[in-house]
Amino acid sequence: MSLTLIRKPFVMQSLAIIVATLMMNTAHATSEQEQIQQLRAEVSELRALLEQYVSQPKQENVASQVVAQPASVTTHNQNIKVVNTEPAKKSPLAIHTASGAQVKLYGFLRGDASYQAKGGDGIFNRINKVDLEGAEKNSDRFYSTATVTRLGLDFKSPVEGTEVGGKLEVDFRGGSNNDTIRIRHAYLTMNEWLFGQTTSTFLATDLQPEMLDFNSPLGIGTYRTPMVRYSNKLNPDISYAIALEKGNDDNRLPALSSKLKYDFAEGKGTTSVRALLTEARSKVAFNKDNMQISRNDSDLGWGVAVGAKYKLTDALQAMVDYSHVKGDSKFLLYTNNAFNVNPNNMGLNLNEFDALTVGTSYQITPKLRSTLAYGAMFADDSNDFAKQAVTDETQNKTLQQGWWNVMYSPVTPITFGLEYIYGERKTFDGQKGKDSRVGAMARYNF
């Protein structure tokens, strides 16, 4: 028997004796008013004794159950948050290195198949290179691959006073045949700084509509490039980043990119504005008076972008992203060359274009979701670049693409997808090409 239970009858008897004694004392009072006042004082004293006796065991019981209660539970007597002191369970895929760094393995196994009625030469998106009408070579084809399977490692080191981490992520889309290991992300972080290769700061992949096609939708970018980046927060809802990034191979200077991001309240969505400055540089060789002459010429390329994603309801969300770029072909997908060279003066004619994506996603059931979206690229057809590109069938005046997909997850790690894509391209001289494909996917996340 516990000490608390043994002492309880004794305490109750003592309280009863105290009450009886106090009541006997009141019998000798000469005034009824004095008796009432004395009784009130005695009742208050008795109540204080009882509260002291009852509250102590409750507090001890709460303290003994802190570990078992979830973090959101509060006690009845005290408006305080109970902290769960039980150590967090480690992921079975998390390991520790000899130096003490925590390493987390992640990735997915994925298989894709596609039937292409019309389009480009390959399983995934090539909207800028689909066959022109009258010259179809890639119709009625079936493709399949498992090369988009991905492996990644996240690193976190317990360095006192400094948050140190890193990421290494690869897939199998490297090489000329897209069948060798390719590094996607490889960087280290130290507090607010990032050093290494990752997605450009000028891009906002979190704002793009979901697409089953691995090559990503028209109108956005996924360019991963070596960089040095600094990022921080102005307040809990507003963050910013600024980076020096590698642009085209011939450039002498890195590209300067920046992003300002705002997160809506209650997890409703996010929005961002971005800016880009980059060099457009050409190394050309030409003959003059039977002599070979080399010449380097350069110009300033730039870009601005704005986009948002917002939850209209718990099940429905919409997203839109717009970019305007001049003199660059790296950062956004499926664009024309950054420039062409004027044969008369060897100067650079910069390409200028607008890019857009807009879409909606609907969570039909907890296991079933669907996305309907549209992407486009519209090049300026009035500048010197367009005038010279009239005879170049690889350059496009407009690109448009729409897609609809359904994703089904019978259990959390597994997703099956089905998607239809229709697109068109139009060259500067008016020729057209069409893209029509059905794709399927099976993916296991780990």
Side-chain angles (χ1 to χ4, degrees), residues 425-437:
R425 79 171 176 118
K426 183 178 180 181
T427 63
F428 286 102
D429 66 350
Q431 297 187 73
K432 295 182 180 180
K434 294 183 179 181
D435 183 28
S436 180
R437 294 177 288 123

Side-chain angles (χ1 to χ4, degrees), residues 8 58 81 116 136 147 167 236 259 270 296 328 342 353 363 367 372 417:
K8 185 174 181 179
K58 285 186 177 181
K81 192 171 183 179
Q116 185 172 278
E136 290 88 347
T147 58
K167 179 186 287 290
K259 179 187 296 186
T270 184
N296 296 331
D328 182 76
N342 189 317
F353 64 92
Q363 192 74 38
K367 298 183 177 182
L372 178 66

Side-chain angles (χ1 to χ4, degrees), residues 382-412:
S382 63
N383 58 17
D384 291 336
F385 176 91
K387 294 174 183 177
Q388 189 169 324
V390 169
T391 58
D392 189 349
E393 295 181 353
T394 66
Q395 307 301 299
N396 299 290
K397 177 182 176 182
T398 61
L399 298 173
Q400 299 185 75
Q401 190 173 65
W403 66 97
W404 172 75
N405 60 49
V406 176
M407 303 289 186
Y408 175 62
S409 298
V411 292
T412 301

